[in-house]
């Protein structure tokens, strides 16, 4: 059963400009493993985290570092959740997430489906 669906799009150039203008934002939004990724990948991961928040009803108090999209070369992307995000997912009975991310033509996008058994 689908609990929630979230979608987000990010203008990559605007996102990168923001990261350069406010370097502390990289630390606030991304885990240490994510921070070293190319900026286009960071834009897609930001879209994924925003889509995840929307799929969970965008409650206040969720922490950016409690969701991560690790590198999965040659495999479907996955979401790793812990802490505040895992707690919200448990509250809703979410047992799995489905994630699709893409970046093309200057736009990064992500869709998240939260599902329970």
């Amino acid at each position: 059963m689908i609990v929630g669906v979230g979608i987000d799009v990010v203008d990559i150039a605007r996102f990168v400009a923001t990261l350069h203008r406010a370097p502390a934002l990289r630390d606030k939004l991304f885990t240490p493993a994510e921070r070293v990724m190319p900026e286009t990948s960071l834009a897609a991961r930001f879209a994924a985290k925003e889509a995840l928040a929307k799929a969970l009803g965008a409650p206040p108090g969720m922490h950016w570092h409690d969701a991560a999209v690790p590198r999965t070369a040659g495999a479907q992307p996955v979401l790793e959740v812990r802490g505040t995000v895992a707690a919200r997912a448990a509250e809703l009975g979410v047992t799995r997430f489905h994630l699709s991310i893409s970046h093309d033509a200057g736009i990064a996008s992500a869709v998240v489906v939260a599902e329970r058994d």
Side-chain angles (χ1 to χ4, degrees), residues 8-33:
D8 196 65
V9 295
V10 173
D11 180 299
I12 295 171
R14 193 171 95 201
F15 181 78
V16 169
T18 301
L19 285 180
H20 288 236
R21 194 171 51 254
L25 196 57
R26 186 181 298 249
D27 291 342
K28 179 180 178 179
L29 298 175
F30 301 106
T31 66

Side-chain angles (χ1 to χ4, degrees), residues 11 23 33 46 51 56 65-66 69 71-72 79 87 92 96 100:
D11 180 299
F46 179 72
L56 295 175
H65 288 207
D66 287 346
V69 183
R71 284 193 187 273
T72 54
L79 282 163
L92 296 173
R96 74 187 134 275
S100 179

Side-chain angles (χ1 to χ4, degrees), residues 100-116:
S100 179
I101 57 176
S102 183
H103 42 78
D104 188 32
I107 300 292
S109 63
V111 176
V112 171
V113 177
E115 186 179 18
R116 73 173 165 234

Side-chain angles (χ1 to χ4, degrees), residues 27-101:
D27 291 342
K28 179 180 178 179
L29 298 175
F30 301 106
T31 66
E34 291 172 318
R35 287 181 207 139
V36 298
M37 295 178 185
E39 291 170 333
T40 55
S41 293
L42 292 181
R45 278 158 176 79
F46 179 72
K49 292 178 185 202
E50 283 283 320
L52 172 62
K54 292 172 184 175
L56 295 175
M62 288 196 309
H63 300 275
W64 292 104
H65 288 207
D66 287 346
V69 183
R71 284 193 187 273
T72 54
Q76 182 175 338
V78 296
L79 282 163
E80 293 178 349
V81 300
R82 59 191 158 277
T84 58
V85 177
R88 176 60 177 172
E91 182 181 314
L92 296 173
V94 174
T95 54
R96 74 187 134 275
F97 293 103
H98 305 275
L99 169 64
S100 179
I101 57 176

